[in-house]
Amino acid sequence: SVAVGTMAIQGKVRLPNQAGAVGVWVSAVEMIDGQPNYDKQNGGNTAQDGSYAIGGLSSGKTYMLQTFVNEGMDQNSNVAGFTAADSVNVNYTGSLITQNFILKAATKTISGRMLRANGQPVANGRVAIMRQDKPSFTSATTNASGNYTAKVAGGKYEVRPDTFAEQGQAPP
């Protein structure tokens, strides 16, 4: 990952067995009047040991730190079957903050099938799965028949085709 500016927040994202979590996006979102302002956020993916660092934050601001499990973002990902850690608010005073996270075991399954308007399956397409009752996001990739399955924590989710396509993926 690449960080720009002074390192503001660093830490590790781990699995429950303490192994470093590979393929997790960690985001710092500026809070304004107690609400997240997604126009003002910085973040990056975890390294192979689960470490992350975020720079470019403004001193004197409160930030919500979130983890997003996305096993497809890194071919070495080991986060299948896990879901995001709870978000944490931190006050950045200009001094380096260390904030570690532990992912949770996923207990529920969301599955479905992505089809084009003509009824043909979308092979190797991306499905966005966003939790509605707290900050959390994951994604799944469809197989040749357009089927997908994702492990999630309990809660209310919005599931939709994701128009972002990785190399080798087909946009819906």
Side-chain angles (χ1 to χ4, degrees):
S1 67
V2 176
V4 178
T6 301
M7 278 309 108
I9 301 171
Q10 68 179 8
K12 287 198 174 186
V13 181
R14 297 187 184 279
L15 303 178
N17 68 3
Q18 296 300 309
V22 180
V24 176
W25 177 265
V26 182
S27 176
V29 180
E30 185 177 323
M31 301 293 287
I32 298 177
D33 297 324
Q35 298 298 315
N37 179 357
Y38 291 101
D39 291 333
K40 295 186 177 185
Q41 66 177 319
N42 291 325
N45 284 319
T46 54
Q48 296 298 312
D49 64 352
S51 63
Y52 74 93
I54 301 172
L57 304 184
S58 298
S59 181
K61 304 281 185 178
T62 298
Y63 291 88
M64 176 177 60
L65 303 180
Q66 312 174 80
T67 59
F68 297 97
V69 175
N70 190 354
E71 59 193 270
M73 292 295 283
D74 188 313
Q75 67 183 12
N76 298 313
S77 176
N78 62 349
V79 296
F82 296 95
T83 189
D86 289 335
S87 61
V88 174
N89 286 355
V90 297
N91 296 313
Y92 179 57
T93 62
S95 297
L96 182 65
I97 295 172
T98 297
Q99 180 65 53
N100 298 317
F101 293 96
I102 297 178
L103 299 182
K104 299 176 185 178
T107 58
K108 306 291 182 186
T109 301
I110 293 177
S111 60
R113 189 170 187 213
M114 188 186 322
L115 301 173
R116 296 190 186 281
N118 65 6
Q120 294 298 308
V122 177
N124 202 29
R126 207 166 119 132
V127 179
I129 303 166
M130 295 151 298
R131 189 160 179 180
Q132 300 298 295
D133 55 346
K134 64 183 346 186
S136 183
F137 171 88
T138 191
S139 66
T141 302
T142 61
N143 63 16
S145 300
N147 297 315
Y148 64 89
T149 300
K151 298 291 252 173
V152 297
K156 181 179 177 181
Y157 289 85
E158 176 185 335
V159 180
R160 62 177 171 79
D162 192 341
T163 56
F164 177 81
E166 296 281 342
Q167 185 175 0
Q169 287 185 312

